Amino acid sequence: MLTSMMEYATNHVGNPVDEECEFENKLAYFEYKDEIIQIFEVYGQGTDSWFSKPSEDTIERLNNTAYGVYLIQFDDFINYTKNKDSESNKLSSSSTILNDITGGHTVERGSK
């Protein structure tokens, strides 16, 4: 789930980085019912992700400055995920219909 949340943040608002970290990294911030969490992703010889509560200074910056553009409502992420799953199911049913029409046979171009 953290990976999905990070992908959503990357695609919708971008990601700040922790300048003090010695490894390549990115952050995401999500708010749900007045609680804020940060997701931290670090790259090295692999990827490690975790979440934590941000510092009071970071919360202040998210709430009162342009840095707040990085703050994502968790409900928006959930709705996006539901819509994405719904679209995926529609595509799956279209494939099933196509499979029914062709009788389960693969039709290739140029075959005799």
Side-chain angles (χ1 to χ4, degrees):
M1 183 158 178
L2 292 180
T3 301
S4 295
M5 291 171 76
M6 187 61 79
E7 285 175 11
Y8 178 83
T10 301
N11 293 331
H12 289 83
V13 298
N15 303 95
V17 296
D18 181 349
E19 299 291 337
E20 296 177 14
C21 182
E22 62 187 81
F23 298 105
E24 184 178 346
N25 68 82
K26 60 185 176 180
L27 299 166
Y29 298 98
F30 285 85
E31 181 176 31
Y32 181 71
K33 295 185 178 182
D34 297 328
E35 288 294 323
I36 297 174
I37 63 160
Q38 73 181 5
I39 299 173
F40 195 76
E41 196 168 83
V42 176
Y43 312 95
Q45 292 185 356
T47 301
D48 195 11
S49 299
W50 64 91
F51 69 94
S52 62
K53 187 161 177 74
S55 70
E56 289 300 320
D57 290 341
T58 300
I59 291 172
E60 182 73 22
R61 282 184 27 210
L62 286 166
N63 287 327
N64 298 310
T65 69
Y67 195 73
V69 70
Y70 294 116
L71 184 59
I72 299 167
Q73 297 301 312
F74 186 72
D75 290 336
D76 293 344
F77 165 71
I78 293 299
N79 290 333
Y80 172 81
T81 303
K82 284 180 183 178
N83 290 338
K84 190 174 170 185
D85 288 345
S86 175
E87 286 297 317
S88 178
N89 289 340
K90 286 179 188 174
L91 290 175
S92 295
S93 64
S94 297
S95 299
T96 302
I97 292 168
L98 181 60
N99 193 33
D100 291 345
I101 291 170
T102 63
H105 300 289
T106 304
V107 178
E108 295 181 27
R109 278 195 164 146
S111 60
K112 296 181 181 182

